[in-house]
């Protein structure tokens, strides 16, 4: 989405509003300016101006120069349009797209491209000294060309092929890829198609294996509901070697997959390929935080399984409870994209379960399917409505485009009735359902949030585009026990006052702003304490009562308690930079906590500093997304050999539930303070109380998916603070739409 100073009409276009300047009038405006595609020099100058304005990256202009050089080496005169499209394709990959859809790009360039970046404040530089000669926007440049012209230019270039040649660009129909990302997409689609086509002993409803599966499901699911979607999901996922289970927060994805694994182990004895051996199962997640969260929940779920009642002699050790990151699973190699496990050295696994699959980008997913044995079963779990991965791709979203309506064929419905004794609702049937549809199951009932929960109703309103005036009024009042819009009555609040309010809210959690001051709430028959802020974990640190002689076990126990208390509250931001982003708010909140005498200092390393690991460190065993708290501990020595206090950062030990790893700050390289974190970084996490901060102006990154993800990180309390009340509604009207061909190839791109 572009935002420039060209005119009020252009600004209206950027916001997605109706504008009188559309179609021919915009094209006429573009034609009035010099054509930057008239010569190679003009196009390269244009790209250089865009780079200087931070509209595109040096990487993007560098890629365009590579295409130029390769063309010249082949004796070809570089086509300016090809260079422009090459730079824009690289730019789009940096924004999370797998490719550029040329038809959409030409029709909706102002909405397809995100120029300038979210934190840009300056207008672009001029192309000459004339004050009215501004750099043309991509929309103005692209208005000069047509789709047939683009296709002719690309097909004539020796830097472009349909994939059969080793060219840097691949053109598939009207989609233009960087070759590496085209190859990733082909790998993923091919792996899915292969697994969907593999025969299964469970396909026959009259087989012994299917009968065993039916018995296991009847034992594992005792629901009296007419349709138990968890049971249906287990049955579907057991039937084939690729499956997806999607559902919102609290719909029971973990419970479902644990029951699924138990059912599959019960059936293992009926699999002629197994010769009575149980399946080798691995559990993985994209980040350390997501893996830790699944670790916490899966152990209890496994212990509750009625294993002694299952057919097939399933024992506790048959169901894994340890979750690892995908990078650890594949065996990362530092400073390279390559993994130890690959097609030539496949994983020793029969079933792989990936949780929080919405966070997996095409690069990593391609590595996963490359390392999986050909007949291994792959099960993806996640919320299809969450934000897509930070890097290129939106795999789970694409695979689940038709999940809401299921599109199960009559054959699938008959099989499900035979195995589960439940009839699939008629509105979920489709005679023309695709093979992938039969492998996707959506969980439709939330067990975490009660019907009257404000978090649930607000998330649903955002997700279904029904965030109307009535809902906004209810969160302003507040009419819900668990949701409050702290400054919702002020349409355009003073920025400094609002930022100060965020800091104070971060200290206390502002329980008095919630209905009934946050008192007397009961969740699942348990009383719920009022919402808190960061004061809680800092007071626990500052008043622990331990001394230099205290045993290490007591310090470990303190660290466990502090980490749990820190998890009770989290500020989430949409942006990284600026006063409303994590960089500005982390500094402000730290200084405010210092003023409240809760921190000893607010810069550098200090006791109480929470840190988020932002890159995998295999030497330390820390993964991207891990959170630690800095402590002052008596494990140093002075010049006389006497104990002295030193700073150490406590991280949960992923290899030992309930354990703590203490690491010196000097050994930590990739990290940031985390009083505030981006919504993207929060994926895979859950906090007792979440505060979502929206900035004072609309940005391309502010989307429905971001707002929904921020809301659903809250377990019991949710607070909202906005720099401009209108931004909430504007953000919900923007969607993440990432260009890709995966859904098209698999036949589910609606």
């Amino acid at each position: 989405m572009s935002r420039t100073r060209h005119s009020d009409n252009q600004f209206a276009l950027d916001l997605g509003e109706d504008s009188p300047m559309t179609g021919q009038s915009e094209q006429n405006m573009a034609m009035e300016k010099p054509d930057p595609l008239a010569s190679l020099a003009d196009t390269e100058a244009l790209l250089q101006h865009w780079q200087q304005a931070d509209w595109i990256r040096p990487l993007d202009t560098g890629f365009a120069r590579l295409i130029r050089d390769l063309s010249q080496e082949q004796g070809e005169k570089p086509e300016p349009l090809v260079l422009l499209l090459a730079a824009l394709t690289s730019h789009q990959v940096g924004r999370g797209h797998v490719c550029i859809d040329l038809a959409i790009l030409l029709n909706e360039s102002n909405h397809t491209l995100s120029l300038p970046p979210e934190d840009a404040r300056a207008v672009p530089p001029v192309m000459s000294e004339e004050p009215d000669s501004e750099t043309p926007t991509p929309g103005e440049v692209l208005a000069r060309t047509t789709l047939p012209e683009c296709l002719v230019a690309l097909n004539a270039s020796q830097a472009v092929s349909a994939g059969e040649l080793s060219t840097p660009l691949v053109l598939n129909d009207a989609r233009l890829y960087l070759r590496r990302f085209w190859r990733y997409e082909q790998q993923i689609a091919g792996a899915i198609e292969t697994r969907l086509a593999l025969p299964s002993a469970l396909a026959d409803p009259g087989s012994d294996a299917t009968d065993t599966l039916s018995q296991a499901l009847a034992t594992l699911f005792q629901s009296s509901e007419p349709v138990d979607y968890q049971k249906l999901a287990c049955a579907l996922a057991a039937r084939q070697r690729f499956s997806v289970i999607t559902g919102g927060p609290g719909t029971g994805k973990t419970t479902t997959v644990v029951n699924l694994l138990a059912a599959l182990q019960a059936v293992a004895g009926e699999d002629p390929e197994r010769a009575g051996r149980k399946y080798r199962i691995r559990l993985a997640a994209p980040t350390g935080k997501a893996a830790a969260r699944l670790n916490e929940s899966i152990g209890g779920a496994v212990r509750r399984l009625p294993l002694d009642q299952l057919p097939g002699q399933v024992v506790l050790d048959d169901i894994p409870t340890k979750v690892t990151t995908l990078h650890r699973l594949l065996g990362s190699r530092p400073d390279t994209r390559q993994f130890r496990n690959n097609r030539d050295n496949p994983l020793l696994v029969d079933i792989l379960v990936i949780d929080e699959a919405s966070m997996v980008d095409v690069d990593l997913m391609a590595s996963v399917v490359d390392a999986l044995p050909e007949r291994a079963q792959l099960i993806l779990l996640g919320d299809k409505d969450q934000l897509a991965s930070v890097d290129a791709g939106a795999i789970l979203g694409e695979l689940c485009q038709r999940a809401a309506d299921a599109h199960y064929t009559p054959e699938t419905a008959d099989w499900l009735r035979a195995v589960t004794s439940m009839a699939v609702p008629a509105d979920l049937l489709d005679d023309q359902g695709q093979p992938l549809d039969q492998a996707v199951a959506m969980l439709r009932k939330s067990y975490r949030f009660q019907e009257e929960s404000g978090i649930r109703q607000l998330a649903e309103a955002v997700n279904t585009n029904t965030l109307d005036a009535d809902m906004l009024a209810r969160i302003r009042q507040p009419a819900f026990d668990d949701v409050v819009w702290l400054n919702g009555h002020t349409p355009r609040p003073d920025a400094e006052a609002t930022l100060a309010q965020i800091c104070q809210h971060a200290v206390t959690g502002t329980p008095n702003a919630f209905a009934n001051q946050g008192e007397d709430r009961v969740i699942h028959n348990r009383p719920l304490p009022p919402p808190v802020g960061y004061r809680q974990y800092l007071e626990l640190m500052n008043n622990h009562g331990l001394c230099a002689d205290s045993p290490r076990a007591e310090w470990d126990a303190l660290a466990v308690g502090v980490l749990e208390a820190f998890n009770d509250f989290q500020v989430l931001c949409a942006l990284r930079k600026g006063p409303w982003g994590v960089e500005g708010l982390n500094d402000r909140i730290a200084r405010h906590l210092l003023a409240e005498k809760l921190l000893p200092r607010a810069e550098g390393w200090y006791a109480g500093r929470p840190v988020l690991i932002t890159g995998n460190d295999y030497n330390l065993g820390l993964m991207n997304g891990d959170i630690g708290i800095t402590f002052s501990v008596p494990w140093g020595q002075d010049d006389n050999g006497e104990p002295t206090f030193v700073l150490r950062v406590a991280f949960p030990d992923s290899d030992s539930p309930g354990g703590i790893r203490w690491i010196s700050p000097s050994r930590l390289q990739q990290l940031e303070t985390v009083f505030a974190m981006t919504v993207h970084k929060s994926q895979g996490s859950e906090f007792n109380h979440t505060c979502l901060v929206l900035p004072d102006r609309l940005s391309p990154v502010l989307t429905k998916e971001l707002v929904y993800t921020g809301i659903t990180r809250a377990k019991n309390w949710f607070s909202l603070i906005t720099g401009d009340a209108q931004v909430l509604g504007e953000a919900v009207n923007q969607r993440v739409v990432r260009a890709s061909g995966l859904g098209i190839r698999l036949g589910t791109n609606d």
Side-chain angles (χ1 to χ4, degrees):
M1 181 175 293
S2 172
R3 181 172 292 184
T4 72
R5 66 178 186 182
H6 292 152
S7 69
D8 292 338
N9 287 331
Q10 179 67 43
F11 187 73
L13 278 174
D14 295 337
L15 293 181
E17 299 169 355
D18 293 332
S19 167
M21 192 193 73
T22 57
Q24 188 64 39
S25 59
E26 183 180 4
Q27 189 170 13
N28 291 340
M29 180 179 177
M31 294 302 181
E32 293 172 1
K33 295 185 177 182
D35 184 3
L37 300 180
S39 71
L40 193 63
D42 288 339
T43 303
E44 291 184 324
L46 173 74
L47 295 176
Q48 192 62 39
H49 281 297
W50 284 356
Q51 178 187 321
Q52 291 170 359
D54 285 334
W55 286 19
I56 60 177
R57 304 168 298 173
L59 179 66
D60 306 328
T61 54
F63 183 67
R65 288 194 297 271
L66 171 66
I67 299 299
R68 178 201 64 193
D69 294 344
L70 289 175
S71 299
Q72 291 173 337
E73 288 174 7
Q74 297 295 322
E76 176 186 338
K77 181 181 179 181
E79 173 66 46
L81 180 56
V82 173
L83 264 61
L84 174 70
L85 294 175
L88 293 180
T89 302
S90 174
H91 166 75
Q92 290 296 80
V93 167
R95 292 186 56 233
H97 298 268
V98 179
C99 62
I100 274 187
D101 187 312
L102 295 171
I104 296 176
L105 175 70
L106 294 175
N107 290 331
E108 305 176 16
S109 60
N110 288 316
H111 297 277
T112 302
L113 297 167
S114 176
L115 305 176
E118 68 179 51
D119 58 326
R121 291 292 180 267
V123 298
V126 296
M127 294 187 72
S128 74
E129 295 182 359
E130 298 178 13
D132 59 343
S133 178
E134 294 179 351
T135 301
T137 67
E140 293 168 349
V141 175
L142 294 170
R144 302 171 183 269
T145 190
T146 65
L147 179 59
E149 289 173 343
C150 290
L151 296 178
V152 168
L154 291 167
N155 282 313
S157 173
Q158 296 189 49
V160 184
S161 72
E164 76 283 1
L165 302 176
S166 185
T167 54
L169 288 167
V170 173
L171 182 63
N172 187 295
D173 293 330
R175 296 184 303 278
L176 185 61
Y177 295 82
L178 302 185
R179 181 176 185 80
R180 178 161 61 93
F181 289 89
W182 173 80
R183 189 174 67 249
Y184 291 156
E185 189 172 278
Q186 298 303 303
Q187 282 182 274
I188 296 166
I192 291 173
E193 289 171 335
T194 298
R195 283 172 170 76
L196 291 177
L198 286 172
S200 169
L202 294 172
D204 178 7
S207 69
D208 291 341
T210 307
D211 182 62
T212 301
L213 175 64
S214 182
Q215 293 179 46
L217 294 177
T219 300
L220 292 164
F221 293 95
Q222 303 291 328
S223 173
S224 59
E225 300 174 11
V227 180
D228 185 337
Y229 288 101
Q230 292 186 3
K231 188 176 183 180
L232 289 181
C234 276
L236 280 174
R239 186 171 64 152
Q240 45 217 336
R241 297 180 196 261
F242 175 79
S243 58
V244 180
I245 300 175
T246 185
T251 52
K253 294 185 290 293
T254 301
T255 300
T256 301
V257 78
V258 166
N259 286 350
L260 169 62
L261 297 180
L264 285 170
Q265 292 292 37
V267 177
E270 306 289 346
D271 187 342
E273 296 181 12
R274 305 304 304 159
R277 292 180 289 110
K278 299 298 184 185
Y279 292 112
R280 295 169 297 182
I281 302 172
R282 297 294 301 272
L283 308 175
T287 67
K289 185 67 175 178
R293 182 180 168 197
L294 184 58
N295 257 326
E296 292 169 1
S297 59
I298 203 166
V302 169
R303 287 189 292 272
R304 291 190 293 271
L305 288 170
L307 297 180
D308 57 335
Q309 302 173 38
L310 290 176
Q313 297 181 334
V314 182
V315 298
L316 198 61
D317 289 343
D318 293 335
I319 315 297
T321 56
K322 182 178 179 181
V323 186
T324 187
T325 65
L326 283 171
H327 286 84
R328 278 178 175 164
L329 175 74
L330 296 172
S332 290
R333 295 175 175 176
D335 304 318
T336 176
R337 289 194 181 95
Q338 304 302 314
F339 293 94
R340 287 193 296 273
N341 290 108
N342 50 42
R343 185 180 301 274
D344 298 323
N345 181 33
L347 293 164
L348 298 177
V349 62
D350 300 306
I351 300 172
L352 174 62
V353 178
I354 301 178
D355 193 24
E356 297 291 351
S358 64
M359 301 169 65
V360 184
D361 58 71
V362 291
D363 187 343
L364 186 54
M365 185 62 77
S367 297
V368 168
V369 299
D370 185 56
L372 274 182
E374 189 174 274
R375 302 183 69 81
Q377 187 168 353
L378 177 60
I379 302 165
L380 304 183
L381 301 179
D383 185 345
K384 67 180 180 63
D385 298 313
Q386 277 190 186
L387 278 168
S389 57
V390 174
D391 294 316
I395 296 172
L396 188 71
E398 281 209 82
L399 296 178
C400 296
Q401 287 181 92
R402 290 154 55 98
D405 296 324
H407 298 278
Y408 297 142
T409 62
E411 178 188 6
T412 296
D414 291 343
W415 184 88
L416 286 170
R417 185 184 297 107
V419 173
T420 67
S421 301
M422 289 187 296
V424 176
D427 59 346
L428 301 184
L429 301 180
D430 181 1
D431 290 341
Q432 305 300 315
Q434 299 297 310
L436 178 60
D437 295 327
Q438 318 314 305
V440 177
M442 180 173 168
L443 306 180
R444 301 167 190 265
K445 178 179 179 180
S446 176
Y447 298 90
R448 178 186 305 169
F449 300 121
Q450 299 172 325
E451 289 293 334
E452 66 272 15
S453 165
I455 296 174
R456 173 178 181 163
Q457 293 183 49
L458 179 58
E460 289 178 352
V462 168
N463 201 31
T464 58
N465 293 318
T466 57
L467 186 63
D468 55 17
D470 177 64
M471 175 60 73
L472 294 176
R474 295 179 73 190
I475 62 175
R476 284 188 180 104
Q477 289 174 358
F480 298 110
D481 290 341
D482 53 350
V483 173
V484 61
W485 189 352
L486 286 172
N487 61 344
H489 293 284
T490 308
R492 181 79 182 183
D494 176 75
E496 281 301 317
T498 302
L499 293 169
Q501 182 183 30
I502 294 170
C503 293
Q504 185 57 37
H505 182 57
V507 175
T508 66
T510 323
N512 59 305
F514 288 83
N516 199 34
Q517 290 75 50
E519 298 284 355
D520 302 327
R521 279 191 68 198
V522 177
I523 301 295
H524 302 306
N525 298 320
R526 293 182 180 179
L528 184 69
V532 299
Y534 292 135
R535 182 191 297 276
Q536 176 178 257
Y537 94 88
L538 289 169
E539 287 186 342
L540 180 59
M541 283 193 69
N542 296 335
N543 301 295
H544 53 71
L546 300 183
C547 60
D549 296 330
S550 298
R552 177 71 67 94
E554 293 187 12
W555 287 99
D556 287 352
L558 172 65
V560 169
V562 169
L563 284 163
E564 289 178 352
F566 179 77
N567 207 46
D568 275 340
F569 178 78
Q570 182 64 60
V571 174
L572 300 182
C573 301
L575 307 179
R576 286 203 55 79
K577 299 181 179 180
W580 301 94
V582 293
E583 292 181 5
L585 281 178
N586 269 315
D587 181 65
R588 280 180 176 267
I589 292 172
R591 293 182 184 281
H592 192 81
L593 291 170
L594 173 64
E596 293 281 328
K597 297 182 170 41
L598 292 168
L599 292 179
R601 54 184 298 181
E603 296 178 343
W605 284 101
Y606 50 85
R609 181 189 180 190
V611 295
L612 173 74
I613 300 299
T614 58
N616 297 331
D617 189 325
Y618 301 99
N619 293 325
L620 296 178
L622 296 176
M623 296 291 114
N624 184 13
D626 287 348
I627 289 179
I629 305 288
T630 311
F631 285 76
S632 178
V633 293
W635 302 333
Q637 285 187 341
D638 61 18
D639 294 339
N640 298 319
E642 296 296 321
T644 185
F645 281 80
V646 293
L647 295 178
R648 293 290 182 267
V649 186
F651 291 92
D653 189 345
S654 59
D655 296 324
S656 176
I660 291 293
R661 303 186 65 217
W662 298 92
I663 298 177
S664 171
S666 63
R667 301 185 66 193
L668 299 174
Q669 303 300 320
Q670 301 180 71
L671 56 85
E672 59 189 31
T673 303
V674 71
F675 290 118
M677 72 166 67
T678 62
V679 175
H680 268 100
K681 287 288 187 183
S682 74
Q683 289 188 93
S685 300
E686 170 181 283
F687 308 99
N688 189 43
H689 179 190
T690 295
C691 172
L692 177 62
V693 174
L694 297 182
D696 60 348
R697 69 191 71 191
L698 190 62
S699 162
V701 302
L702 281 169
T703 62
K704 179 182 80 170
E705 290 82 1
L706 181 139
V707 175
Y708 170 82
T709 302
I711 294 168
T712 55
R713 297 312 88 204
K715 186 176 181 180
N716 291 310
W717 306 98
F718 175 75
S719 50
L720 176 68
I721 301 179
T722 55
D724 184 336
Q726 187 176 350
V727 168
L728 174 61
E730 292 175 334
V732 171
N733 287 325
Q734 294 193 139
R735 290 199 59 195
V736 173
V737 180
R738 290 189 168 179
S740 167
L742 184 63
I744 295 172
R745 174 165 170 175
L746 296 173
T748 60
N749 189 0
D750 284 349

